[in-house]
Amino acid sequence: MPTALIVLAAGQGTRMKSDTPKVLHELAGIPLFAHALAAGQALTPERTVLVVGPGAERVTDAAIAIDPDIHIAVQADRMGTAHAVAQAQGALAGFSGDAVVLYGDTPFIRPESLAAMQGARAAGNAVVVLGFEAADPGRYGRLVMQGAELLRIVEFKDASDEERAITLCNSGVICADAETLFDLIGAVSNDNASGEYYLTDIVGLARARGLRAAAVTCPEAETLGVNSRADLAAAEAQFQARARADALEAGVTLTAPETVFFSADTALGRDVTVEPNVVFGPGVTVETGAHIRAFSHLEGAHVGGGAVVGPFARLRPGAELSGDAKVGNFVEIKNASIGPGAKVNHLTYIGDADIGEAANIGAGTVTCNYNGVEKFRTQIGANAFIGSDTMLVAPVRIGAGAITGSGSVITRDVPDGALAVARAEQVVKPGVAARLFEMYKKAKRTRRGGT
Ligand code: UD1
Ligand code: CA
């Protein structure tokens, strides 16, 4: 059955108290709504429609960056969830199949739950709702069941005391045949306690037409919605707890799991070791057996098998470490490849560079990649030895097996196997230091008025 996704994200998110739209706040290093999109992608939807509020250009831009084929529907007035879904009808013209409605602010719905809903659809239910047993049902919509059949959903505000006692609640995720869905939505009224068009009303309307509805349940943790900064922090904690458990389960050693932070797409191979206080920003892959030492920060980086990173290392986007490379303390790598077994061990900046196999980069080396206007590359050949405190003024190429003398400012290419020294020649003046100290001491006494 072809599937279409409808992701609702037109809420104002007032409780975030933010100039940034709620769904653009980041969870696990990616925008909140990207989590719902990712869960939905597991259904390989034929079309995806994101319903946004007026003036949500930033949300639209972010959505297109994630999925260039996404359809954007604007809900000009926020008149309820049924009204929001109705805005997607135009974008789904000509589509036939199932529509799955997700909320942009509900990041943890698992693909398995969506698959179970599809199963219930295939079993002949016109409308399938994802429900959960709520520890504290609060203001959630209640699922009114009769045996295995879902009779209707009643919103908290409209519910009787008896209905409010129901603990099976609506997560908001709904799956129905698209044509039926829009047809039912056409019949929804706003004659209720909120004066809104409730999507939840389609269940009762379907039953009134002799169609069947069912509920599939999921753990409450999946349905966590983000409405405030506190919710966002709770969601982050929930994500991190799961990511740590998954990493351990996958054969990663975490010495202090609770101090390691992952992004949604962090990929760690088997037998990777991660020491305490490491942060994985978006886009990091670490291959088998690599060792990430304490207090390192990585984003947009690839770390080859057996490589060692840190302690206190920073890998920025485009850092590409081959197998067995070493990047040590207080080293920053950006948009640069570090060859197999190469060592960049201390206090160094390597940006826009390619470092050959087994090259050794001395402490305090800097690739001077930026002239204030443009960036240039540095190339360092295999087995080269860059002396400590070398300034490599790019564009520049150091040949294979070449050496640069410590403290050199290298502005011209160095051929393979050559030694380049670019620093002032050493001058030694016997006795001069002792005489200078005497002079300085005398000057100090004079200033204090002594003899
Ligand atoms: C909704 C459900 C409720 C369910 C709860 C789960 C309805 C009527 N109620 O209630 O049964 O238990 O979610 O969290 O559906 N949205 C729009 N445009 C609108 C209104 C909402 O895009 O006009 C979006 C919001 O951005 C949000 C989602 O729809 O992502 C849900 O809206 P919200 O107002 O939070 O619904 P609830 O009252 O919580
Ligand atoms: Ca809500």
Side-chain angles (χ1 to χ4, degrees):
M1 178 67 77
T3 304
L5 283 186
I6 302 172
V7 180
L8 304 188
Q12 292 143 318
T14 339
R15 285 170 57 200
M16 294 296 283
K17 302 199 175 103
S18 177
D19 295 331
T20 298
K22 175 166 79 176
V23 292
L24 290 189
H25 282 261
E26 286 190 356
L27 173 66
I30 59 172
L32 188 53
F33 78 98
H35 291 266
L37 281 185
Q41 285 314 305
L43 304 175
T44 54
E46 216 168 76
R47 280 186 223 180
T48 300
V49 189
L50 183 69
V51 181
V52 300
E57 286 78 19
R58 288 172 64 194
V59 180
T60 301
D61 292 347
I64 290 168
I66 293 168
D67 175 4
D69 298 325
I70 202 163
H71 296 259
I72 305 291
V74 178
Q75 184 190 26
D77 295 304
R78 202 175 174 284
M79 294 162 67
T81 46
H83 181 255
V85 172
Q87 309 313 305
Q89 189 165 9
L92 293 185
F95 168 82
S96 80
D98 273 0
V100 174
V101 179
L102 296 170
Y103 293 168
D105 62 4
T106 304
F108 296 130
I109 302 293
R110 285 180 317 141
E112 290 84 344
S113 300
L114 301 179
M117 293 175 75
Q118 284 185 318
R121 273 278 298 131
N125 294 289
V127 177
V128 179
V129 172
L130 185 64
F132 63 102
E133 276 297 336
D136 170 14
R139 307 186 65 80
Y140 287 117
R142 307 297 207 266
L143 304 190
V144 183
M145 305 294 296
Q146 188 174 65
E149 293 211 24
L150 175 60
L151 299 186
R152 59 197 184 92
I153 304 178
V154 58
E155 288 305 302
F156 175 79
K157 278 191 191 171
D158 304 285
S160 65
D161 285 347
E162 200 182 326
E163 288 164 337
R164 286 180 180 183
I166 296 173
T167 53
L168 183 61
C169 293
N170 174 28
S171 70
V173 182
I174 284 186
C175 175
D177 167 71
E179 195 185 333
T180 312
L181 174 71
F182 292 120
D183 208 31
L184 292 169
I185 284 175
V188 170
S189 85
N190 64 350
D191 181 15
N192 53 51
S194 303
E196 285 189 6
Y197 295 89
Y198 293 158
L199 179 61
T200 44
D201 282 356
I202 66 167
V203 173
L205 290 167
R207 299 245 348 145
R209 294 183 186 186
L211 300 169
R212 279 203 292 143
V216 160
T217 55
C218 69
E220 180 164 15
E222 274 186 50
T223 70
L224 184 142
V226 172
N227 294 308
S228 64
R229 307 262 184 173
D231 290 345
L232 186 62
E236 187 72 43
Q238 185 172 315
F239 171 85
Q240 295 300 341
R242 197 191 56 196
R244 290 164 190 149
D246 288 352
L248 294 167
E249 182 62 31
V252 172
T253 295
L254 302 175
T255 26
E258 64 288 354
T259 68
V260 176
F261 292 82
F262 296 91
S263 284
D265 61 355
T266 304
L268 305 183
R270 240 172 113 98
D271 286 320
V272 164
T273 295
V274 182
E275 291 185 7
N277 298 296
V278 170
V279 176
F280 293 100
V284 176
T285 306
V286 180
E287 307 283 355
T288 305
H291 190 144
I292 312 298
R293 304 198 58 199
F295 294 97
S296 294
H297 188 285
L298 298 81
E299 57 187 318
H302 173 250
V303 177
V308 180
V309 175
F312 298 98
R314 176 153 189 230
L315 302 188
R316 292 174 52 208
E320 174 71 43
L321 275 53
S322 300
D324 302 318
K326 285 200 170 60
V327 169
N329 36 262
F330 309 106
V331 169
E332 174 177 339
I333 309 279
K334 184 221 62 166
N335 190 27
S337 63
I338 312 296
K343 293 180 187 159
V344 191
N345 275 340
H346 339 262
L347 300 157
T348 288
Y349 172 66
I350 299 293
D352 303 308
D354 298 294
I355 297 185
E357 180 165 357
N360 190 309
I361 311 299
T365 295
V366 172
T367 53
C368 310
N369 58 331
Y370 187 47
N371 64 6
V373 180
E374 276 188 280
K375 302 242 167 97
F376 301 93
R377 282 194 92 77
T378 298
Q379 241 110 27
I380 297 175
N383 300 299
F385 182 93
I386 305 300
S388 293
D389 190 36
T390 297
M391 298 294 118
L392 297 158
V393 181
V396 72
R397 185 186 166 279
I398 310 297
I403 297 178
T404 66
S406 298
S408 289
V409 178
I410 302 293
T411 56
R412 283 180 286 130
D413 288 358
V414 179
D416 292 358
L419 165 70
V421 183
R423 62 188 185 211
E425 192 116 16
Q426 183 167 324
V427 177
V428 179
K429 299 186 177 177
V432 171
R435 288 209 301 278
L436 276 176
F437 279 131
E438 271 319 308
M439 247 173 66
Y440 298 155
K441 285 174 189 160
K442 198 172 160 194
K444 186 175 173 186
R445 284 197 300 270
T446 311
R447 265 201 308 281
R448 282 185 180 165
T451 47

